[in-house]
Amino acid sequence: MTVRVPAKLNLQLAVGPPRADGYHDLVTVFHAISLFDQVTVEPAGRDRVTVTGEGADRVPADQDNLSLRAISALRAALEDRGTGPGSVHVTIAKRIPVAAGLAGGSADAAAALVACNELWATGLSQQQLGAIGATVGSDVAFALLGGTAVGRGRGEQLTPALAPATRYHWVLAFADGQLSTPAVYATLDRLRAAHAVEPAGPADPGLPALPEPDLDSALMSALRSGDATRVGQRLSNDLQPAAVSLFPALRKTLTAGLELGALGALVAGSGPTCAFLAANAERALELAVSLSGAGVCRSVARVSGPVPGAAVLAAG
Ligand code: C5P
């Protein structure tokens, strides 16, 4: 059973203050893009995982692997119902770079859930799989859903965005290095604490240090209009200053893409991948060629979005 699953961008990523559980409340606009991993699941004597392709040596191949963790969570949920499915061998063919801000690990976990749901004829709904997946990664539920969607909570509470069938053309600039998502969130908290302005009056301990994150209505209106120029102007990512401070070379990459004609630029999720929006497929090709010639990244890829979430490719 083989499932194809997309990477994601966040067209908006608004981050609130840290919560007691260490996570941050988000308001985000997810956008699934045509950069896919393929995950195959076959019955086996014991659960194991084999990883091939882009960055395979940096993906854990033991029980820490997010796909195996998702499968364990699915099995635990099924055992409550009295069914006990068997062990599996998971093969992950990676094209989504590892620790790049594109939710590759969550994508593989989502694909494993869809594959096992089919293999075991479990019949769980996408929403039920999403609830199980959210226990192993904040972006798993979106990798199941795909398209363009607003995410809240840790990112797992999703509402599909109503938008015309516009195809957006992106150029991704992959960096020569990785960023750890927890480190980027922690850096954002530190940067915010360092720049906190003392309130003018007596401090009110009941007031939150930061306003709750809010959906960018101008971005949503731009998406409804299908106008790439307007979308490009409204791309935003609260994690970007933290990612750039940990990976200063990204500043040059972002500037280069904008100078070369991108409609908008931002760091993908927690980075270090940078994403550039182009007016159309032709402009994306020109931008990709110029960016790779500018020597400001390891490699480039052209992708488009939105695309559907994790879907079965072939049974067998
Ligand atoms: O859920 P996921 O495993 O993708 O998150 C990785 C890390 O990113 C978390 O351990 C946490 O440090 C940070 N994170 C966060 N708030 C979120 C999502 C992720 O602080 N909403």
Side-chain angles (χ1 to χ4, degrees):
M1 188 69 58
T2 298
V3 169
R4 188 177 86 151
V5 64
K8 60 85 195 165
L9 296 175
N10 303 80
L11 308 186
Q12 180 192 8
L13 181 47
V15 181
R19 310 191 312 201
D21 65 1
Y23 284 89
H24 297 69
D25 275 322
L26 307 177
V27 173
T28 187
V29 178
F30 285 115
H31 183 71
I33 53 173
S34 60
L35 177 67
F36 300 99
D37 280 357
Q38 277 190 25
V39 176
T40 301
V41 169
E42 301 156 294
R46 63 179 174 87
D47 280 353
R48 63 191 180 93
V49 62
T50 308
V51 189
T52 63
E54 171 84 28
D57 53 330
R58 293 192 298 274
V59 179
D62 55 16
Q63 290 300 323
D64 282 344
N65 184 280
L66 284 186
S67 306
L68 289 189
R69 283 171 51 192
I71 289 169
S72 297
L74 174 60
R75 197 177 279 124
L78 296 174
E79 272 160 12
D80 288 347
R81 299 195 329 183
T83 45
S87 300
V88 288
H89 177 205
V90 181
T91 308
I92 304 175
K94 288 212 69 67
R95 284 190 55 222
I96 307 173
V98 178
L102 299 165
S106 278
D108 298 340
L113 288 175
V114 170
C116 287
N117 195 39
E118 285 293 317
L119 184 70
W120 298 335
T122 311
L124 293 189
S125 67
Q126 187 185 95
Q127 217 157 11
Q128 287 170 311
L129 293 179
I132 294 166
T135 64
V136 305
S138 303
D139 297 327
V140 178
F142 176 71
L144 294 167
L145 179 65
T148 303
V150 176
R152 296 178 191 275
R154 283 163 52 212
E156 83 288 10
Q157 298 161 23
L158 297 170
T159 314
L162 292 173
T166 311
R167 194 156 266 291
Y168 295 97
H169 297 272
W170 301 91
V171 176
L172 304 180
F174 300 126
D176 207 359
Q178 302 179 312
L179 280 173
S180 136
T181 302
V184 175
Y185 275 98
T187 302
L188 173 68
D189 294 338
R190 266 201 306 279
L191 289 175
R192 282 176 165 174
H195 293 112
V197 180
E198 290 298 325
D204 180 350
L207 282 178
L210 277 167
E212 286 305 308
D214 219 358
L215 184 62
D216 179 1
S217 56
L219 171 65
M220 297 313 284
S221 145
L223 286 168
R224 278 192 299 274
S225 77
D227 180 340
T229 304
R230 284 179 58 198
V231 172
Q233 287 163 350
R234 296 307 307 185
L235 300 174
S236 69
N237 180 359
D238 282 0
L239 291 178
Q240 186 161 310
V244 171
S245 88
L246 290 169
F247 205 126
L250 297 185
R251 203 184 307 272
K252 222 171 158 181
T253 312
L254 292 165
T255 307
L258 289 170
E259 283 173 0
L260 291 166
L263 301 177
L266 87 176
V267 169
S270 55
T273 305
C274 293
F276 302 94
L277 183 57
N280 53 43
E282 209 180 344
R283 286 282 141 75
L285 177 58
E286 289 164 12
L287 179 57
V289 170
S290 328
L291 257 182
S292 64
V296 291
C297 56
R298 172 173 60 84
S299 62
V300 300
R302 279 179 302 136
V303 299
S304 65
V307 299
V312 173
L313 265 191

